[in-house]
Amino acid sequence: MSTARSHPLNTAAAHAALIIYTLIALFPVFVIVVNSFKARKAIFREPLALPDAESFSLIGYQTVMKQGDFFGYFQNSMIVTVVALFFILLFGAMAAFALAEYRFKGNTLMGLYLALGIMIPIRIGTVAILQMMVATGLVNTLWALILVYTAQGLPLAVFILSEFMRQVSDDLKNAGRIDGLSEYAIFFRLVLPLVRPAMATVAVFNMIPIWNDLWFPLILAPAEEVKTLTLGSQVFIGQFVTDWNAVLSALSLAILPVMVLYVIFSRQLIRGITSGAVK
Amino acid sequence: MTETSLKLDRVSKAFGTVKVLHDIDLDVQKGEFVVFVGPSGCGKSTLLRVIAGLEDATSGTVEIAGQRVNTVPPAKRGIAMVFQSYALYPHLNVADNMTLGLKQEGASKSMITERLAEAVRILNLDPYLIRRPAELSGGQRQRVAIGRAIVRQPQLFLFDEPLSNLDAALRMNTRIEIAQLHRTLGTTMIYVTHDQTEAMTLADRIVVLRDGRVEQVGSPMELYNNPANRFVAGFLGAPAMNFLTPPDDAPDGAELGIRPEDLRLDPEGALQGTVTHVERLGGDTNIVVQTRPEEMATIRVFGQHPARVGDTVGLAYDPAKSFLFAPDGRRLR
Ligand SMILES: Nc1ncnc2c1ncn2[C@@H]1O[C@H](COP(=O)(O)OP(=O)(O)O)[C@@H](O)[C@H]1O
Ligand SMILES: [Mg+2]
């Protein structure tokens, strides 16, 4: 069958476009990973060459391991990202359920208020946030970052999830009520499993900015024992000399956990983006 | 003495300022099969949800088996409900779908097994027990939904357009099954539909609703033979009743109602017209005749008939089998 969509030429063109896009997107990652395995001179002499017997070096990784508490940074980033994601998904889904499911005064207004954060960048409030953290004694704790990232992620989460939750059939929830499920059971056991693709989408969209953020770790938690990976890697970038081996090695390592999380969420994510609807 | 299974006393429901149900009164006897029928959007589902406790009545009282249940949650009202969209739990298999309600009630294992086996036997669901809803056809899903209701052994079954998503052949089979189920179980059933055939064939009593008001309550034949107003007369019966210009002695603006089977072809008849369409169903034939520029009459003839489009025909009727409606819909005769 050669319909317009499945014509071999069209398919080939589509694949060519996708392959080119993939190459462009992956190129910087490729350069970083390749060069992290090379000696300093080789990095600058031939940035695009693969490491060979002569230029291969693990010096960057050795520096990273020696310098500072790299695994500690790693752990901090992981804790902040995972806990913040958990809170975003939990509270975002709960608020979304309330907005989608219950008729109460000010429902629409509340929805708008919660969605406002999508348009206003949270960094505008940095000074106030810092004052609050100082007042509550949370400066230099991971909680400071977790709270800020949760606040940052909630608006979009509420917005996306409530849209999906409105599509979950009323009959299904009513069947649960007749079968004696509590509102919590309906939320956790009927609705959440049905919006899992949307949850994965929200998780991935939030994960990367949190993992990569430098701003809030620098301001709210710069102390050695709560440094995140992104902030920890900055020690290799000096005003006068930059240890490129170490920077590239640290970046290569930082990619790994994001990839792991992405693989966990990706199947759901693709369903979330392509289906766009809950049956 | 008969027991009252469901009693509605001046039940009203408003969404915000929009009134959807207006002072509904109804008594349903134990074991009765009552059908709510009316056009889409007339408030049938809302009324059913008020009975189930899924919506609160704005005013009025709902009694189930003599108990006022206005503040009782759905699960404790002794009801079970079957939905148009089946509403099976997608992540549970058939057996778990059917037994979730009992588990929530804290029923014993042996009781759950027993009730499940009983429902499975009645509905022939044996081959499907460990399948997920996604692996079932529409008809099978609806049987599981009915099974889920049976398992709870409710005092009152509520059906909300359970056949609307099925194809025509399956609809008829399932309709017969529901009627048999009612005979077997003898439980009170409330059934909502917009389809007058379902209403006529299933009901002990029909409640005709329009715009949130009860238009008439009665057995199918009572409503058919003795409609209270033009709406009920036009809603029940297929093809629908003909509304024609009455003879000259009728009051101003009145309409003459005659059922298609009460008209007969007769060259000397009181009405004359041209055949504009013929529907041949094999068992009977519907002939549409234009009797006036803006007026069509449908005649139902038993068996097959040679009438052709363009033929000039005469129509006769027995005045005793005709109705007269005032312009506001009231029945005059
Ligand atoms: N949750 C709701 N909020 C506002 N209006 C509603 C709601 N549910 C139903 N309605 C309105 O009530 C009327 C009756 O609806 P419904 O009972 O579903 O009709 P039916 O089942 O007879 O087709 C409709 O006009 C509908 O728009
Ligand atoms: Mg309805």
Side-chain angles (χ1 to χ4, degrees):
Chain A
M1 206 175 68
S2 73
T3 60
R5 279 190 54 187
S6 63
H7 193 279
L9 259 181
N10 286 339
T11 318
H15 278 88
L18 288 173
I19 288 168
I20 290 171
Y21 177 75
T22 310
L23 289 180
I24 294 172
L26 286 182
F27 184 70
V29 180
F30 171 78
V31 172
I32 290 173
V33 174
V34 163
N35 283 308
S36 72
F37 288 104
K38 293 203 296 206
R40 186 177 171 85
K41 285 226 175 76
I43 294 178
F44 288 103
R45 204 180 324 124
E46 275 184 286
L48 294 184
L50 291 172
D52 53 25
E54 188 203 333
S55 63
F56 181 81
S57 156
L58 286 175
I59 178 76
Y61 288 94
Q62 284 158 2
T63 320
V64 168
M65 297 302 159
K66 267 187 294 192
Q67 178 87 40
D69 180 10
F70 194 75
F71 282 107
Y73 303 160
F74 212 95
Q75 203 181 358
N76 290 337
S77 276
M78 209 64 189
I79 291 172
V80 167
T81 308
V82 169
V83 176
L85 279 186
F86 175 78
F87 283 142
I88 290 171
L89 291 179
L90 180 70
F91 296 135
M94 283 178 151
F97 184 70
L99 287 176
E101 182 62 16
Y102 304 120
R103 284 189 297 272
F104 55 89
K105 267 211 169 67
N107 181 318
T108 326
L109 223 60
M110 183 69 94
L112 278 178
Y113 170 70
L114 287 176
L116 212 60
I118 298 173
M119 289 158 272
I120 302 173
I122 194 168
R123 288 181 187 190
I124 288 177
T126 303
V127 174
I129 290 173
L130 182 58
Q131 281 171 345
M132 256 179 349
M133 294 299 169
V134 171
T136 46
L138 287 175
V139 171
N140 279 330
T141 63
L142 293 181
W143 277 110
L145 296 178
I146 290 169
L147 289 176
V148 168
Y149 293 141
T150 305
Q152 172 185 297
L154 273 177
L156 195 63
V158 172
F159 186 73
I160 293 180
L161 292 177
S162 64
E163 216 41 62
F164 272 75
M165 283 185 186
R166 267 186 256 278
Q167 294 173 36
V168 176
S169 125
D170 281 338
D171 284 356
L172 187 67
K173 290 174 271 191
N174 284 339
R177 289 188 181 112
I178 287 177
D179 271 345
L181 298 183
S182 67
E183 293 299 307
Y184 284 99
I186 288 171
F187 173 69
F188 283 111
R189 286 167 57 186
L190 294 184
V191 175
L192 277 196
L194 285 175
V195 299
R196 230 174 20 210
M199 304 266 284
T201 311
V202 169
V204 170
F205 283 160
N206 278 301
M207 173 176 80
I208 297 174
I210 295 177
W211 183 268
N212 286 340
D213 191 34
L214 181 60
W215 181 264
F216 284 114
L218 191 61
I219 293 166
L220 299 179
E224 181 61 20
E225 68 278 8
V226 289
K227 262 188 193 160
T228 60
L229 190 57
T230 320
L231 183 56
S233 310
Q234 301 303 312
V235 297
F236 306 117
I237 302 178
Q239 196 175 352
F240 307 108
V241 257
T242 294
D243 185 344
W244 286 108
N245 298 81
V247 170
L248 295 177
S249 303
L251 287 177
S252 301
L253 288 173
I255 294 170
L256 285 178
V258 182
M259 272 181 64
V260 170
L261 284 180
Y262 181 78
V263 168
I264 293 174
F265 290 127
S266 64
R267 269 193 49 197
Q268 305 286 347
L269 173 77
I270 290 163
R271 278 202 5 227
I273 291 173
T274 53
S275 77
V278 189
K279 291 267 163 59
Chain B
M1 203 190 92
T2 51
E3 276 175 76
T4 307
S5 187
L6 169 73
K7 186 174 161 68
L8 302 180
D9 186 17
R10 278 179 289 132
V11 168
S12 295
K13 173 74 191 171
F15 291 108
T17 54
V18 186
K19 262 197 122 178
V20 174
L21 297 175
H22 306 265
D23 293 331
I24 308 259
D25 288 314
L26 185 69
D27 274 334
V28 177
Q29 303 306 314
K30 195 167 170 63
E32 243 187 327
F33 198 123
V34 172
V35 175
F36 296 168
V37 70
S40 262
C42 70
K44 308 178 295 287
S45 298
T46 306
L47 183 55
L48 205 64
R49 288 205 300 269
V50 168
I51 295 171
L54 298 168
E55 302 273 4
D56 291 326
T58 311
S59 66
T61 55
V62 180
E63 279 178 29
I64 294 176
Q67 301 283 323
R68 188 173 180 280
V69 293
N70 281 47
T71 54
V72 177
K76 301 221 161 71
R77 290 192 177 193
I79 53 146
M81 191 157 170
V82 177
F83 297 89
Q84 176 178 353
S85 61
Y86 321 129
L88 298 177
Y89 309 120
H91 54 302
L92 299 181
N93 67 26
V94 167
D96 291 336
N97 256 288
M98 288 168 65
T99 53
L100 182 71
L102 287 180
K103 284 179 194 152
Q104 290 297 123
E105 277 174 18
S108 69
K109 269 232 164 64
S110 61
M111 180 164 137
I112 293 176
T113 327
E114 195 181 305
R115 297 252 193 110
L116 178 65
E118 172 77 2
V120 165
R121 189 184 58 75
I122 295 177
L123 293 165
N124 300 318
L125 285 171
D126 240 337
Y128 315 119
L129 279 181
I130 51 166
R131 292 204 204 163
R132 296 274 181 94
E135 299 160 342
L136 300 174
S137 71
Q140 291 163 347
R141 284 181 208 179
Q142 196 52 287
R143 300 160 79 86
V144 175
I146 293 172
R148 179 169 67 181
I150 294 178
V151 162
R152 307 200 54 199
Q153 299 195 347
Q155 301 178 2
L156 190 60
F157 277 97
L158 306 175
F159 293 90
D160 192 354
E161 310 219 9
L163 308 185
S164 299
N165 286 353
L166 304 180
D167 61 53
L170 206 52
R171 201 177 303 167
M172 170 135 179
N173 287 340
T174 315
R175 198 168 78 204
I176 294 172
E177 269 186 62
I178 291 177
Q180 280 167 347
L181 191 68
H182 179 240
R183 273 193 291 274
T184 316
L185 301 176
T187 316
T188 319
M189 294 187 174
I190 311 271
Y191 185 106
V192 160
T193 179
H194 64 269
D195 181 309
Q196 58 93 26
T197 317
E198 279 174 34
M200 299 291 278
T201 51
L202 284 170
D204 293 325
R205 261 194 319 153
I206 295 180
V207 177
V208 182
L209 292 169
R210 176 167 64 153
D211 295 340
R213 288 194 171 79
V214 175
E215 293 284 313
Q216 194 176 2
V217 183
S219 75
M221 288 312 118
E222 264 167 46
L223 300 200
Y224 193 79
N225 296 329
N226 206 2
N229 53 45
R230 187 188 188 282
F231 177 78
V232 175
F235 195 79
L236 299 179
M241 184 183 278
N242 296 299
F243 294 103
L244 307 169
T245 314
D248 296 336
D249 59 344
D252 249 9
E255 278 180 303
L256 178 71
I258 311 173
R259 296 221 177 259
E261 64 269 28
D262 293 332
L263 281 172
R264 54 175 200 283
L265 292 168
D266 177 352
E268 320 278 78
L271 304 165
Q272 295 291 325
T274 325
V275 175
T276 58
H277 185 69
V278 184
E279 283 181 336
R280 301 178 202 283
L281 302 169
D284 40 37
T285 308
N286 297 327
I287 304 170
V288 183
V289 178
Q290 180 145 32
T291 49
R292 281 166 190 265
E294 291 295 315
E295 204 169 275
M296 301 283 184
T298 305
I299 324 155
R300 184 166 175 192
V301 189
F302 187 73
Q304 299 175 8
H305 194 278
R308 291 225 311 253
V309 173
D311 288 357
T312 303
V313 293
L315 306 176
Y317 64 93
D318 175 3
K321 285 188 172 174
S322 68
F323 305 94
L324 201 61
F325 299 102
D328 62 3
R330 263 177 318 120
R331 180 163 150 210
L332 300 171
R333 190 187 75 209

